Amino acid sequence: MKNLVLYFSVYKTTKAVATEIAKQTDADLVEIEPVKPYDGDRSHYNALARYAKKEHDEDMRPAIKNKIDISGYDNIFIGYPMWWYTFPMIIYTLFDELDFSGKTIIPFNTHMGSSDGGTYRTIAELEPNAKILKGLPIEMSEAERGCADKVEKWLNSLKVKERSA
Ligand SMILES: Cc1cc2nc3c(=O)[nH]c(=O)nc-3n(C[C@H](O)[C@H](O)[C@H](O)COP(=O)(O)O)c2cc1C
């Protein structure tokens, strides 16, 4: 059965990590697309930060535009950037809408110092019937320089690299 890499990314850092994981695991790659797009222009960071804070403080559930079907996958990588010390609220939407019972979730994220910020534990709380494997936090600049080696070491430690029959 194939692996799936699901990711959300605005500045494309998490996308780069997701693409590398998909390449190394022969996985399908699916972006979590918001109905209301976020501004990916880094010079507008302050406005995005303010907006993301509002989403967080109001416990919003930003809608996902694309239909995400996880039924055919056992191993599902889920990647996101850290936003305000947790994952973006659209990741809560994902866990609200999809049932990961019986699946194996392998989280990864990019950040600028917060590491995973406890989000891997949050995923375990939100999806008690899924198995959660050890995640991979990658600092933004490191992800942008190229993370193939780090991803490879991590995947080797998880032993999920090969596609199972
Ligand atoms: C709205 C917003 C909030 C952020 N909050 C945090 C944070 O709390 N901790 C942290 O380490 N990095 C934080 N960052 C930095 C991002 O996690 C980092 O830039 C990430 O690599 C961006 O991923 P992307 O390129 O996939 O969008 C924040 C960035 C944005 C835009």
mmCIF file of all heavy atoms in Angstrom, residues 9-14 45 48-49 52 81-85 110-114 140, ligand 1:
data_model
loop_
_atom_site.group_PDB
_atom_site.id
_atom_site.type_symbol
_atom_site.label_atom_id
_atom_site.label_comp_id
_atom_site.label_asym_id
_atom_site.label_seq_id
_atom_site.Cartn_x
_atom_site.Cartn_y
_atom_site.Cartn_z
ATOM 1 N N SER A 9 1.388 24.489 3.813
ATOM 2 C CA SER A 9 2.578 25.333 3.731
ATOM 3 C C SER A 9 2.214 26.652 3.070
ATOM 4 O O SER A 9 1.503 26.667 2.067
ATOM 5 C CB SER A 9 3.630 24.601 2.888
ATOM 6 O OG SER A 9 4.826 25.332 2.809
ATOM 7 N N VAL A 10 2.686 27.743 3.644
ATOM 8 C CA VAL A 10 2.404 29.057 3.032
ATOM 9 C C VAL A 10 3.659 29.606 2.356
ATOM 10 O O VAL A 10 3.597 30.098 1.235
ATOM 11 C CB VAL A 10 1.858 30.047 4.082
ATOM 12 C CG1 VAL A 10 1.777 31.466 3.519
ATOM 13 C CG2 VAL A 10 0.470 29.595 4.538
ATOM 14 N N TYR A 11 4.811 29.484 3.034
ATOM 15 C CA TYR A 11 6.058 30.008 2.458
ATOM 16 C C TYR A 11 6.869 28.925 1.739
ATOM 17 O O TYR A 11 8.031 29.125 1.400
ATOM 18 C CB TYR A 11 6.920 30.633 3.557
ATOM 19 C CG TYR A 11 6.337 31.886 4.193
ATOM 20 C CD1 TYR A 11 6.642 32.222 5.512
ATOM 21 C CD2 TYR A 11 5.506 32.744 3.479
ATOM 22 C CE1 TYR A 11 6.138 33.374 6.101
ATOM 23 C CE2 TYR A 11 4.990 33.890 4.077
ATOM 24 C CZ TYR A 11 5.310 34.200 5.376
ATOM 25 O OH TYR A 11 4.811 35.336 5.959
ATOM 26 N N LYS A 12 6.261 27.761 1.612
ATOM 27 C CA LYS A 12 6.838 26.654 0.827
ATOM 28 C C LYS A 12 7.993 25.903 1.494
ATOM 29 O O LYS A 12 8.628 25.055 0.880
ATOM 30 C CB LYS A 12 7.260 27.121 -0.577
ATOM 31 C CG LYS A 12 6.178 27.874 -1.346
ATOM 32 C CD LYS A 12 5.897 27.195 -2.645
ATOM 33 C CE LYS A 12 4.916 27.833 -3.599
ATOM 34 N NZ LYS A 12 3.881 28.666 -3.121
ATOM 35 N N THR A 13 8.285 26.213 2.752
ATOM 36 C CA THR A 13 9.341 25.485 3.460
ATOM 37 C C THR A 13 8.876 24.063 3.787
ATOM 38 O O THR A 13 9.579 23.090 3.515
ATOM 39 C CB THR A 13 9.692 26.210 4.774
ATOM 40 O OG1 THR A 13 9.725 27.606 4.517
ATOM 41 C CG2 THR A 13 11.022 25.757 5.301
ATOM 42 N N THR A 14 7.699 23.978 4.371
ATOM 43 C CA THR A 14 7.149 22.656 4.697
ATOM 44 C C THR A 14 6.914 21.866 3.413
ATOM 45 O O THR A 14 7.091 20.649 3.382
ATOM 46 C CB THR A 14 5.831 22.814 5.480
ATOM 47 O OG1 THR A 14 6.046 23.748 6.553
ATOM 48 C CG2 THR A 14 5.357 21.492 6.045
ATOM 49 N N TYR A 45 4.698 39.512 6.232
ATOM 50 C CA TYR A 45 4.683 38.584 7.379
ATOM 51 C C TYR A 45 3.826 39.106 8.535
ATOM 52 O O TYR A 45 3.059 38.354 9.137
ATOM 53 C CB TYR A 45 6.122 38.332 7.878
ATOM 54 C CG TYR A 45 6.150 37.582 9.174
ATOM 55 C CD1 TYR A 45 6.021 36.192 9.196
ATOM 56 C CD2 TYR A 45 6.255 38.253 10.396
ATOM 57 C CE1 TYR A 45 6.004 35.487 10.392
ATOM 58 C CE2 TYR A 45 6.238 37.551 11.601
ATOM 59 C CZ TYR A 45 6.117 36.174 11.585
ATOM 60 O OH TYR A 45 6.087 35.487 12.772
ATOM 61 N N LEU A 48 0.188 38.453 8.083
ATOM 62 C CA LEU A 48 -0.128 37.020 8.226
ATOM 63 C C LEU A 48 -0.072 36.616 9.695
ATOM 64 O O LEU A 48 -0.939 35.882 10.183
ATOM 65 C CB LEU A 48 0.852 36.171 7.402
ATOM 66 C CG LEU A 48 0.675 34.653 7.526
ATOM 67 C CD1 LEU A 48 -0.721 34.221 7.075
ATOM 68 C CD2 LEU A 48 1.743 33.911 6.723
ATOM 69 N N ALA A 49 0.928 37.114 10.404
ATOM 70 C CA ALA A 49 1.058 36.793 11.825
ATOM 71 C C ALA A 49 -0.176 37.261 12.603
ATOM 72 O O ALA A 49 -0.713 36.524 13.430
ATOM 73 C CB ALA A 49 2.328 37.432 12.396
ATOM 74 N N ALA A 52 -3.173 35.041 11.611
ATOM 75 C CA ALA A 52 -3.052 33.695 12.186
ATOM 76 C C ALA A 52 -3.340 33.730 13.690
ATOM 77 O O ALA A 52 -3.923 32.803 14.252
ATOM 78 C CB ALA A 52 -1.651 33.139 11.935
ATOM 79 N N PRO A 81 3.763 24.129 9.263
ATOM 80 C CA PRO A 81 4.680 25.047 9.971
ATOM 81 C C PRO A 81 4.163 25.294 11.384
ATOM 82 O O PRO A 81 2.970 25.128 11.645
ATOM 83 C CB PRO A 81 4.574 26.339 9.145
ATOM 84 C CG PRO A 81 3.215 26.289 8.528
ATOM 85 C CD PRO A 81 2.837 24.835 8.377
ATOM 86 N N MET A 82 5.032 25.681 12.284
ATOM 87 C CA MET A 82 4.570 26.167 13.593
ATOM 88 C C MET A 82 3.986 27.554 13.389
ATOM 89 O O MET A 82 4.617 28.404 12.750
ATOM 90 C CB MET A 82 5.756 26.293 14.563
ATOM 91 C CG MET A 82 6.273 24.997 15.113
ATOM 92 S SD MET A 82 5.014 24.060 15.966
ATOM 93 C CE MET A 82 4.792 25.067 17.402
ATOM 94 N N TRP A 83 2.825 27.770 13.947
ATOM 95 C CA TRP A 83 2.220 29.100 13.961
ATOM 96 C C TRP A 83 1.785 29.382 15.391
ATOM 97 O O TRP A 83 0.952 28.654 15.935
ATOM 98 C CB TRP A 83 0.982 29.144 13.049
ATOM 99 C CG TRP A 83 1.277 29.398 11.584
ATOM 100 C CD1 TRP A 83 2.484 29.380 10.947
ATOM 101 C CD2 TRP A 83 0.299 29.699 10.577
ATOM 102 N NE1 TRP A 83 2.323 29.660 9.609
ATOM 103 C CE2 TRP A 83 1.004 29.859 9.349
ATOM 104 C CE3 TRP A 83 -1.087 29.858 10.578
ATOM 105 C CZ2 TRP A 83 0.341 30.157 8.151
ATOM 106 C CZ3 TRP A 83 -1.743 30.152 9.393
ATOM 107 C CH2 TRP A 83 -1.024 30.306 8.191
ATOM 108 N N TRP A 84 2.320 30.398 15.955
ATOM 109 C CA TRP A 84 1.929 30.782 17.314
ATOM 110 C C TRP A 84 1.999 29.592 18.273
ATOM 111 O O TRP A 84 1.052 29.285 18.983
ATOM 112 C CB TRP A 84 0.537 31.439 17.328
ATOM 113 C CG TRP A 84 0.578 32.765 16.626
ATOM 114 C CD1 TRP A 84 0.082 33.061 15.385
ATOM 115 C CD2 TRP A 84 1.176 33.972 17.105
ATOM 116 N NE1 TRP A 84 0.331 34.363 15.056
ATOM 117 C CE2 TRP A 84 0.998 34.952 16.096
ATOM 118 C CE3 TRP A 84 1.852 34.324 18.296
ATOM 119 C CZ2 TRP A 84 1.480 36.248 16.225
ATOM 120 C CZ3 TRP A 84 2.320 35.632 18.420
ATOM 121 C CH2 TRP A 84 2.126 36.564 17.390
ATOM 122 N N TYR A 85 3.117 28.916 18.238
ATOM 123 C CA TYR A 85 3.439 27.846 19.188
ATOM 124 C C TYR A 85 2.590 26.584 19.046
ATOM 125 O O TYR A 85 2.637 25.703 19.897
ATOM 126 C CB TYR A 85 3.401 28.355 20.649
ATOM 127 C CG TYR A 85 4.189 29.625 20.809
ATOM 128 C CD1 TYR A 85 3.549 30.851 20.935
ATOM 129 C CD2 TYR A 85 5.582 29.593 20.747
ATOM 130 C CE1 TYR A 85 4.269 32.025 21.018
ATOM 131 C CE2 TYR A 85 6.313 30.762 20.838
ATOM 132 C CZ TYR A 85 5.650 31.975 20.970
ATOM 133 O OH TYR A 85 6.371 33.129 21.050
ATOM 134 N N THR A 110 8.004 22.429 10.194
ATOM 135 C CA THR A 110 9.086 23.409 10.139
ATOM 136 C C THR A 110 8.784 24.504 11.165
ATOM 137 O O THR A 110 7.641 24.685 11.587
ATOM 138 C CB THR A 110 9.259 24.021 8.736
ATOM 139 O OG1 THR A 110 8.056 24.725 8.391
ATOM 140 C CG2 THR A 110 9.542 22.948 7.697
ATOM 141 N N HIS A 111 9.831 25.212 11.571
ATOM 142 C CA HIS A 111 9.673 26.167 12.671
ATOM 143 C C HIS A 111 10.847 27.142 12.674
ATOM 144 O O HIS A 111 11.805 26.977 11.915
ATOM 145 C CB HIS A 111 9.611 25.404 14.003
ATOM 146 C CG HIS A 111 10.892 24.693 14.326
ATOM 147 N ND1 HIS A 111 11.902 25.266 15.059
ATOM 148 C CD2 HIS A 111 11.355 23.467 13.964
ATOM 149 C CE1 HIS A 111 12.913 24.420 15.157
ATOM 150 N NE2 HIS A 111 12.616 23.328 14.501
ATOM 151 N N MET A 112 10.763 28.130 13.564
ATOM 152 C CA MET A 112 11.885 29.058 13.742
ATOM 153 C C MET A 112 12.297 29.088 15.204
ATOM 154 O O MET A 112 12.557 30.160 15.763
ATOM 155 C CB MET A 112 11.517 30.451 13.241
ATOM 156 C CG MET A 112 11.581 30.538 11.719
ATOM 157 S SD MET A 112 11.074 32.142 11.082
ATOM 158 C CE MET A 112 12.412 33.144 11.639
ATOM 159 N N GLY A 113 12.332 27.926 15.814
ATOM 160 C CA GLY A 113 12.805 27.859 17.199
ATOM 161 C C GLY A 113 11.916 27.076 18.138
ATOM 162 O O GLY A 113 12.360 26.638 19.195
ATOM 163 N N SER A 114 10.659 26.903 17.786
ATOM 164 C CA SER A 114 9.720 26.230 18.701
ATOM 165 C C SER A 114 9.756 24.715 18.600
ATOM 166 O O SER A 114 9.000 24.051 19.315
ATOM 167 C CB SER A 114 8.284 26.686 18.424
ATOM 168 O OG SER A 114 8.120 28.041 18.711
ATOM 169 N N MET A 140 13.512 26.247 9.867
ATOM 170 C CA MET A 140 13.206 26.781 8.541
ATOM 171 C C MET A 140 14.424 26.905 7.629
ATOM 172 O O MET A 140 14.415 26.439 6.484
ATOM 173 C CB MET A 140 12.534 28.143 8.693
ATOM 174 C CG MET A 140 12.051 28.734 7.394
ATOM 175 S SD MET A 140 11.270 30.339 7.694
ATOM 176 C CE MET A 140 10.355 30.521 6.171
HETATM 177 C C1 LIG B 1 1.857 33.327 11.379
HETATM 178 C C2 LIG B 1 3.158 32.700 11.735
HETATM 179 C C3 LIG B 1 3.407 32.322 13.040
HETATM 180 C C4 LIG B 1 4.604 31.674 13.380
HETATM 181 N N1 LIG B 1 4.796 31.249 14.676
HETATM 182 C C5 LIG B 1 5.919 30.526 14.967
HETATM 183 C C6 LIG B 1 6.126 29.990 16.278
HETATM 184 O O1 LIG B 1 5.308 30.142 17.174
HETATM 185 N N2 LIG B 1 7.263 29.291 16.511
HETATM 186 C C7 LIG B 1 8.211 29.083 15.537
HETATM 187 O O2 LIG B 1 9.207 28.430 15.814
HETATM 188 N N3 LIG B 1 8.043 29.579 14.296
HETATM 189 C C8 LIG B 1 6.917 30.284 13.990
HETATM 190 N N4 LIG B 1 6.748 30.783 12.715
HETATM 191 C C9 LIG B 1 7.749 30.480 11.699
HETATM 192 C C10 LIG B 1 7.292 29.350 10.803
HETATM 193 O O3 LIG B 1 7.012 28.180 11.532
HETATM 194 C C11 LIG B 1 8.367 29.026 9.760
HETATM 195 O O4 LIG B 1 8.654 30.161 9.045
HETATM 196 C C12 LIG B 1 7.924 27.890 8.846
HETATM 197 O O5 LIG B 1 9.074 27.266 8.307
HETATM 198 C C13 LIG B 1 7.064 28.364 7.678
HETATM 199 O O6 LIG B 1 6.611 27.230 6.965
HETATM 200 P P1 LIG B 1 6.066 27.330 5.470
HETATM 201 O O7 LIG B 1 7.177 27.892 4.622
HETATM 202 O O8 LIG B 1 5.780 25.902 5.096
HETATM 203 O O9 LIG B 1 4.846 28.170 5.455
HETATM 204 C C14 LIG B 1 5.583 31.450 12.379
HETATM 205 C C15 LIG B 1 5.346 31.889 11.073
HETATM 206 C C16 LIG B 1 4.145 32.499 10.741
HETATM 207 C C17 LIG B 1 3.902 32.928 9.336
#
